[in-house]
Amino acid sequence: LVSRSVVKCVFEGQDYLFVSMGDGGVVYFPAEFSTGQLGQRKRVVLGTQPTTMRPFNTSSSFNIFVCSDRPSVIYSSNQKLLFANVNFKVVDCVCPLNAAHYPDSLIVVTKSVMTFGKVDDIQKLHIRTVLLGETPRRIAFDDVSSTFGVLVDRETETQVSRVKMLA
């Protein structure tokens, strides 16, 4: 496989080396740039077509935009690398832009469109665990009552399934 781009960077005090590949993958290594040591190789698939990377800064953080048929942004939070999808189908090229009328912006180029945009701050995901005691099979949400319905399987003598309502 042929590498497409290489980014050497620091996320939250940790050195990294990223290499985008021709098969849609990105290989990355935690590193120690002062000694030239590379850590354990890791790989993530961010598309099915060749990927290229472009580093950029927002007012609060350093990020890497991955151009491909499934564009993504690589960033770090709490000493962990995260890979976020971008709401474009295919991105051919991206360029950071920091001008008076476009602070902390990006120019995103597709086959037929050039878009000026801005990356939103990454939102936190709030998770609450609900112990069901059974195996969940389906979930649905009712807007009117703001209620989730969960279809679960419970192994009993009669093999009966039931629905639990969660508010």
Side-chain angles (χ1 to χ4, degrees):
L1 291 177
V2 177
S3 62
R4 301 295 177 166
S5 57
V6 176
V7 174
K8 175 182 159 188
C9 65
V10 179
F11 281 116
E12 296 184 311
Q14 171 64 57
D15 299 333
Y16 286 97
L17 180 68
F18 290 87
V19 181
S20 67
M21 305 302 286
D23 65 350
V26 173
V27 176
Y28 64 97
F29 304 86
E32 184 61 51
F33 294 149
S34 62
T35 63
Q37 295 287 322
L38 293 179
Q40 182 177 350
R41 176 186 184 265
K42 296 182 181 177
R43 186 174 195 278
V44 62
V45 177
L46 297 178
T48 60
Q49 301 297 315
T51 56
T52 58
M53 297 180 295
R54 181 65 184 223
F56 69 97
N57 289 304
T58 63
S59 58
S60 60
S61 66
F62 174 82
N63 308 278
I64 300 172
F65 195 103
V66 181
C67 301
S68 72
D69 59 325
R70 297 182 191 144
S72 304
V73 173
I74 303 171
Y75 66 101
S76 179
S77 178
N78 297 324
Q79 299 294 316
K80 195 174 208 180
L81 285 180
L82 300 169
F83 302 85
N85 294 330
V86 176
N87 59 353
F88 279 93
K89 295 228 185 272
V90 176
V91 173
D92 297 316
C93 184
V94 68
C95 180
L97 176 64
N98 194 8
H101 294 290
Y102 299 99
D104 293 330
S105 298
L106 295 172
I107 301 173
V108 178
V109 178
T110 67
K111 192 179 255 185
S112 59
V113 176
M114 182 171 75
T115 305
F116 291 76
K118 192 170 192 163
V119 175
D120 293 336
D121 288 333
I122 305 303
Q123 297 178 1
K124 293 181 181 178
L125 180 63
H126 300 282
I127 298 172
R128 185 180 88 183
T129 301
V130 177
L131 297 176
L132 298 174
E134 292 107 3
T135 305
R137 296 293 181 199
R138 299 283 186 269
I139 186 168
F141 181 74
D142 179 48
D143 285 326
V144 175
S145 63
S146 295
T147 305
F148 286 98
V150 180
L151 178 66
V152 297
D153 279 344
R154 181 196 314 174
E155 289 193 31
T156 64
E157 293 175 17
T158 60
Q159 295 288 326
V160 176
S161 296
R162 65 185 178 130
V163 176
K164 277 192 173 185
M165 299 303 287
L166 304 174

